[in-house]
Amino acid sequence: MWTSHGGSADKENATSSSTSTSSMHNFLHQCSTMKQKFNDFCVSREDEGLFFFARPLNEVDGTKSSIKVDRETRLLQELEMYRSSGDMRITRLRRRRRNGDDEEEDECVFLNSSSSAERRRREKMVAYRMKIWSTIEGKEEGEGEKNVVLFDNLTEDKTKSGKKVALAARVDADPSRTSDGFQLRGVSLALAAEAERILTTNPVSDFGDNDLLKIEMRSNVAFKHMSMNKKCDMFKEILKRVDANAKLVCEVRLVEAFEIIEIHELSTYEKYGEDDKVGALAEIEIEEERRPRSAVLKRVIEPGESWETPSDFSEVMLRINDMTSKNNAQTFTLKRHETKKDSYERFLMALVKTMRKKETAVAFVPKERFLDFAFPQHGEARKVVDAIRKNNSIAHDYEGYVAIEVHLIDWVSARDCFGDGKVIKTVLKKNDPSKSFPNDSPVQDTKVYVSNLCASAKTTTGSIEAQEIIVGSVDNNQIGEDFSFRLASGEMPRALETALRTACVGETIRVTVDMREEERTAFARKQRKQRMHSYLDSYIMSETLSEIVSRDDQNLLEAGGGFRLVQVTFECTLTGFDKIVNWYSDDVAICLKDGEDLKADANLLFKNGMLVEALEKYESVTQKLNQLASRALLEEEEGKNESYIVALRNNVLLNAAITAKKLRDFTGAKKHLEKIPEDKRSFKAKMLKGCILVDENEFDLAKEAFRELLTEIAAEGKEDEETRGEKKKEIERELARVKQFQKRALEEMRNKFRGKL
């Protein structure tokens, strides 16, 4: 049993049931006589030129069998479908060995797709030369048929000097997609099958002087096929000389077939509309438009080393044969493009990101798309195309494409430290390639040892740029002796510390902090100021770096005036780092020593005004001390340290509450105080509780807290009279302050409602 679906342009005229019945009988008759089975489906054709596809039913459960075929099989099946239906006739023209002037004609036979043992997964592009003509009847009586040559680059191999060159076709397995440039579907299918036959029988073939293929085609597989690119200039030129319904004859010689890779980053782009005078961008989705003349393809000439490819912000060195140079080494930094606006820079960077070290590749850009690129340093885009063709090999020059050869010499890897593209770490030198992040890199709160630290700032005053040395001498721009500091301690800028956390021992790194804002708005300037303090605050470099940052804060003027910080660059070598303390397994005494050091770092952050960083470190130390206290309870021999751990933990919680209060986070401050047991709270902690209530305008609760504290001090007999007297005076001062604040708040409320009640 067969299931089928089909259609015809003339079926709408068949209104009677007898006509429908006769059409069905004709269809079944043609299925029985013309069907040819390819894998698991059958094809038949009606006289109107439309095809009917039928799938066999599964013999077991009666369901439709699935079609699982690869790309080459699908192309061959489509070709055989056209040949069996009479829409195409392909013959092979072979020259006799003894007499080169004569030709013999054979029916062209291609290999069955199943005969290829190893299927190639990548898409292929075929290069060919073709002569195409149309046969038309004579207008006068007795005049025979005439052959009108429409296109010919087969008669003689012409050079690049203003002449036509070979054609190239990307043979898509989906016949509904629009082709790139001028392609006839029937010719492309025949060439793909011929290339598969040659590669299957002789995988190392260089194609050489192949046989001519003579192809006779009807219009439905030529000019009227759905894949025909009607916007192509060559297609428009040919249609001026011949009718689209004419029968075509071609002689084709396969020149080359090679694998290609589509650069998917360029699959979506934006360009200016032709009729849009204001220049609004029109987005083009290649997949939605069936990929018309837009895909950028890459051919690998010489494979590269390893598997790694450059990433964003990497510094690459390459040789490129474009409009400006030929075989000249160039160095530039890969940028991250936020917009999809089509440009030559975006194309080049997307290409390099797909290449490996020491790889040579040729990029094929459809000419129509290349002409849309913006070339600010050049005049007409067509002159640019001519310049590129002069600088590239003629072997890669095909009609409808602009070929650009690129050789990736080397690149220096880079890392975006914060994901915003503002802090970029670049590895300048790596002594031991076996070391890698994160196994051989320091972590937070680790003491690191660095050498040869130098830092400089790029600034502008009006339109004048200057380079200011922050650390290091003017001569060698470095510090000769090694020094050490603890990460996340605030001693060094956060940008440098974060970069060192991804570095390995022996690496020399450069950290670039970009301080430019994309937009000159008030919000952008505010973001820039916050970013500047977050990345560059450091109390070791306060005399130089912090001074530059403060100068920039005082001169937030409009564009073109005032002092501006543009970029800060650090360079150093990581010579070593201490082993991280394991709070789960290391000795309790070692953990306590590390806890005291971390607390001292947090105190230093608080002292230098870095309150957010200080609070984060206090909270981190508190969690570690909680884990250590649990260990001390379980280990009897170390139970003697429990009281000291608790005292240190309570002290850290008190400091965290003070820091949160300074940050106006009163809820967080009270939470930190509540974690201290009531019987372990010091006088300072109890006073802090009352002060927090005052800041929250809870004056009655604050008075109650201070009075309770007065009662406790009067009842205590452990302290001397002088100490108790000082504490009472401090509490009384706070009570007076509460009374003053309460009076001021009451007066403000009266003024607010005066005359409204």
Side-chain angles (χ1 to χ4, degrees):
M1 180 178 179
W2 296 83
T3 60
S4 64
H5 65 277
S8 173
D10 297 333
K11 282 190 175 181
E12 59 183 0
N13 298 327
T15 55
S16 63
S17 59
S18 60
T19 305
S20 301
T21 304
S22 62
S23 298
M24 180 59 67
H25 283 303
N26 291 336
F27 168 71
L28 293 176
H29 174 69
Q30 292 183 12
C31 279
S32 61
T33 56
M34 296 183 61
K35 67 180 182 180
Q36 296 190 12
K37 193 169 184 179
F38 309 110
N39 289 346
D40 56 354
F41 68 94
C42 294
V43 183
S44 62
R45 178 182 179 277
E46 282 195 334
D47 295 337
E48 291 82 357
L50 295 176
F51 298 92
F52 291 83
F53 299 84
R55 287 193 201 175
L57 296 179
N58 194 308
E59 297 179 358
V60 179
D61 54 4
T63 59
K64 292 181 180 180
S65 60
S66 60
I67 300 177
K68 295 182 180 180
V69 291
D70 56 20
R71 176 182 172 277
E72 285 76 10
T73 303
R74 292 172 62 185
L75 292 175
L76 185 59
Q77 289 171 351
E78 184 182 355
L79 177 63
E80 292 297 330
M81 179 182 70
Y82 292 137
R83 295 177 64 183
S84 64
S85 60
D87 287 331
M88 286 181 61
R89 181 174 180 271
I90 306 175
T91 54
R92 189 184 305 278
L93 303 180
R94 291 192 178 93
R95 293 186 179 275
R96 296 184 186 273
R97 300 299 179 188
R98 296 180 181 177
N99 187 356
D101 296 333
D102 297 332
E103 292 183 346
E104 60 180 6
E105 212 173 275
D106 293 336
E107 184 71 21
C108 191
V109 178
F110 299 111
L111 293 178
N112 194 319
S113 60
S114 60
S115 64
S116 179
E118 296 183 1
R119 185 61 55 201
R120 300 168 183 84
R121 296 297 179 186
R122 287 184 178 174
E123 244 184 303
K124 287 192 291 293
M125 176 178 276
V126 292
Y128 60 98
R129 296 186 179 277
M130 177 178 65
K131 179 180 180 180
I132 178 172
W133 65 88
S134 174
T135 303
I136 59 175
E137 296 181 357
K139 297 181 180 180
E140 299 180 2
E141 185 177 353
E143 188 177 0
E145 294 182 344
K146 291 183 179 181
N147 293 335
V148 179
V149 178
L150 305 177
F151 178 80
D152 184 11
N153 67 346
L154 178 65
T155 304
E156 55 179 334
D157 295 336
K158 299 179 180 180
T159 62
K160 293 174 61 175
S161 57
K163 303 295 183 180
K164 293 183 179 179
V165 293
L167 297 173
R170 177 188 182 183
V171 189
D172 202 310
D174 185 358
S176 65
R177 286 185 178 176
T178 306
S179 61
D180 296 336
F182 177 76
Q183 293 185 34
L184 302 178
R185 183 65 179 176
V187 174
S188 301
L189 291 173
L191 290 171
E194 178 72 357
E196 185 69 16
R197 180 190 69 83
I198 295 174
L199 292 174
T200 303
T201 55
N202 186 12
V204 295
S205 173
D206 58 353
F207 292 93
D209 189 14
N210 297 311
D211 297 330
L212 276 176
L213 298 182
K214 184 178 180 181
I215 307 172
E216 302 176 34
M217 296 179 294
R218 293 184 180 180
S219 59
N220 62 308
V221 291
F223 292 153
K224 296 180 68 175
H225 194 272
M226 64 183 75
S227 66
M228 189 64 204
N229 187 359
K230 298 180 180 180
K231 297 180 180 180
C232 177
D233 295 336
M234 189 181 298
F235 175 80
K236 296 177 181 179
E237 188 67 25
I238 290 177
L239 277 189
K240 293 179 181 179
R241 306 164 60 187
V242 68
D243 184 64
N245 297 317
K247 183 178 179 181
L248 300 179
V249 182
C250 300
E251 287 185 1
V252 185
R253 173 174 283 123
L254 179 64
V255 176
E256 191 179 10
F258 49 88
E259 293 183 343
I260 56 174
I261 303 171
E262 182 177 342
I263 303 178
H264 294 287
E265 187 176 339
L266 300 174
S267 294
T268 304
Y269 71 99
E270 295 174 347
K271 72 172 184 178
Y272 289 102
E274 297 178 358
D275 300 331
D276 196 349
K277 296 182 180 180
V278 296
L281 291 175
E283 185 171 340
I284 296 178
E285 295 286 348
I286 289 179
E287 293 299 329
E288 292 183 1
E289 291 197 8
R290 301 183 303 172
R291 203 185 58 213
R293 56 189 169 79
S294 299
V296 178
L297 310 175
K298 184 185 84 167
R299 177 187 181 183
V300 178
I301 306 299
E302 294 181 7
E305 299 176 353
S306 72
W307 55 269
E308 193 176 4
T309 58
S311 58
D312 288 334
F313 309 107
S314 298
E315 293 184 2
V316 298
M317 178 183 294
L318 51 84
R319 286 197 301 268
I320 177 171
N321 297 343
D322 60 358
M323 75 290 288
T324 58
S325 62
K326 182 178 182 180
N327 293 328
N328 293 333
Q330 301 181 22
T331 303
F332 64 92
T333 303
L334 295 180
K335 299 178 182 178
R336 179 182 298 167
H337 286 266
E338 301 294 339
T339 64
K340 298 177 181 179
K341 181 181 177 181
D342 223 13
S343 65
Y344 182 73
E345 182 185 26
R346 178 173 177 253
F347 147 73
L348 189 60
M349 292 189 179
L351 171 65
V352 173
K353 289 178 185 178
T354 65
M355 300 177 65
R356 298 179 293 176
K357 187 178 295 186
K358 296 185 179 180
E359 177 182 317
T360 302
V362 176
F364 295 98
V365 186
K367 190 174 180 180
E368 294 88 343
R369 179 172 181 179
F370 190 84
L371 295 177
D372 291 335
F373 287 170
F375 299 97
Q377 299 177 355
H378 302 275
E380 299 179 5
R382 298 185 184 275
K383 294 181 180 179
V384 175
V385 174
D386 295 336
I388 290 176
R389 284 184 167 176
K390 290 180 181 179
N391 291 334
N392 282 272
S393 172
I394 190 174
H396 308 308
D397 194 7
Y398 300 116
E399 188 71 33
Y401 288 94
V402 177
I404 302 175
E405 184 176 341
V406 179
H407 175 69
L408 181 58
I409 302 173
D410 198 0
W411 82 86
V412 179
S413 61
R415 182 187 294 269
D416 185 1
C417 295
F418 295 99
D420 57 358
K422 297 299 182 181
V423 180
I424 306 301
K425 171 207 154 191
T426 306
V427 180
L428 302 179
K429 182 180 178 182
K430 191 169 185 176
N431 289 340
D432 190 354
S434 62
K435 295 184 180 296
S436 61
F437 171 81
N439 297 331
D440 302 303
S441 301
V443 297
Q444 190 171 359
D445 301 328
T446 303
K447 189 175 184 179
V448 297
Y449 301 87
V450 298
S451 64
N452 302 332
L453 174 67
C454 60
S456 60
K458 184 179 180 182
T459 61
T460 59
T461 304
S463 59
I464 302 174
E465 292 189 357
Q467 194 82 7
E468 299 190 19
I469 305 301
I470 300 174
V471 175
S473 63
V474 180
D475 297 331
N476 56 15
N477 198 26
Q478 65 182 17
I479 296 177
E481 55 183 341
D482 298 349
F483 69 100
S484 61
F485 62 93
R486 186 186 288 269
L487 295 179
S489 64
E491 298 180 55
M492 301 301 290
R494 182 171 169 232
L496 179 60
E497 289 185 349
T498 305
L500 285 171
R501 288 176 58 184
T502 62
C504 302
V505 175
E507 278 187 0
T508 301
I509 64 172
R510 180 173 66 237
V511 185
T512 304
V513 186
D514 187 4
M515 288 290 104
R516 292 170 294 186
E517 66 268 20
E518 289 78 8
E519 301 177 359
R520 294 195 175 275
T521 60
F523 179 72
R525 288 195 292 269
K526 181 180 178 181
Q527 276 191 323
R528 176 179 178 275
K529 180 179 178 181
Q530 294 174 351
R531 186 169 60 244
M532 192 161 45
H533 285 281
S534 174
Y535 292 160
L536 300 178
D537 278 353
S538 165
Y539 54 83
I540 285 185
M541 298 184 180
S542 58
E543 295 182 358
T544 52
L545 180 59
S546 299
E547 180 184 352
I548 293 176
V549 173
S550 61
R551 283 166 58 193
D552 189 279
D553 288 345
Q554 296 170 5
N555 292 276
L556 291 177
L557 304 179
E558 296 296 330
F563 174 85
R564 300 291 287 174
L565 178 61
V566 178
Q567 180 178 289
V568 178
T569 304
F570 303 94
E571 286 189 18
C572 67
T573 302
L574 178 63
T575 58
F577 58 90
D578 289 344
K579 180 183 176 183
I580 186 68
V581 176
N582 191 336
W583 285 64
Y584 294 95
S585 59
D586 286 351
D587 188 72
V588 174
I590 297 176
C591 297
L592 280 174
K593 177 65 171 60
D594 188 57
E596 291 173 351
D597 293 340
L598 293 175
K599 177 195 168 188
D601 292 341
N603 292 343
L604 203 54
L605 288 170
F606 180 87
K607 181 180 178 181
N608 288 277
M610 305 171 71
L611 301 180
V612 176
E613 292 81 1
L615 182 59
E616 291 178 356
K617 190 168 286 293
Y618 282 133
E619 292 174 346
S620 174
V621 176
T622 302
Q623 294 178 358
K624 292 180 178 181
L625 289 172
N626 288 335
Q627 298 169 0
L628 192 63
S630 302
R631 278 185 55 198
L633 288 175
L634 297 176
E635 300 174 9
E636 296 179 357
E637 67 274 15
E638 295 177 354
K640 58 185 179 180
N641 294 316
E642 180 186 355
S643 59
Y644 184 77
I645 295 172
V646 173
L648 181 60
R649 170 184 170 275
N650 294 341
N651 195 355
V652 173
L653 284 171
L654 176 60
N655 291 351
I658 295 173
T659 308
K661 176 180 176 295
K662 272 192 167 293
L663 291 170
R664 310 294 295 176
D665 182 13
F666 303 124
T667 303
K670 287 192 292 186
K671 286 182 179 180
H672 288 303
L673 282 178
E674 290 171 358
K675 292 178 182 179
I676 304 175
E678 188 72 30
D679 57 337
K680 301 291 184 181
R681 291 183 187 175
S682 62
F683 172 77
K684 189 175 181 180
K686 295 176 181 178
M687 285 291 295
L688 181 62
K689 179 181 178 181
C691 293
I692 293 173
L693 293 172
V694 173
D695 291 337
E696 289 183 320
N697 294 332
E698 298 289 346
F699 302 117
D700 294 335
L701 295 177
K703 287 180 181 179
E704 183 179 351
F706 288 133
R707 287 167 183 164
E708 289 179 0
L709 188 55
L710 275 175
T711 305
E712 291 179 7
I713 292 174
E716 289 181 358
K718 298 180 181 180
E719 298 177 345
D720 55 8
E721 289 293 334
E722 184 179 356
T723 305
R724 281 189 290 177
E726 291 178 357
K727 290 182 178 180
K728 287 181 181 179
K729 290 180 181 179
E730 186 176 354
I731 296 173
E732 289 173 355
R733 283 197 299 269
E734 290 297 328
L735 284 172
R737 191 167 69 95
V738 172
K739 185 176 180 181
Q740 184 179 1
F741 285 157
Q742 191 174 16
K743 182 178 180 181
R744 186 184 302 170
L746 183 60
E747 186 65 27
E748 289 178 357
M749 186 177 296
R750 286 175 178 172
N751 294 334
K752 182 178 180 180
F753 291 100
R754 184 169 294 164
K756 296 183 179 180
L757 298 177

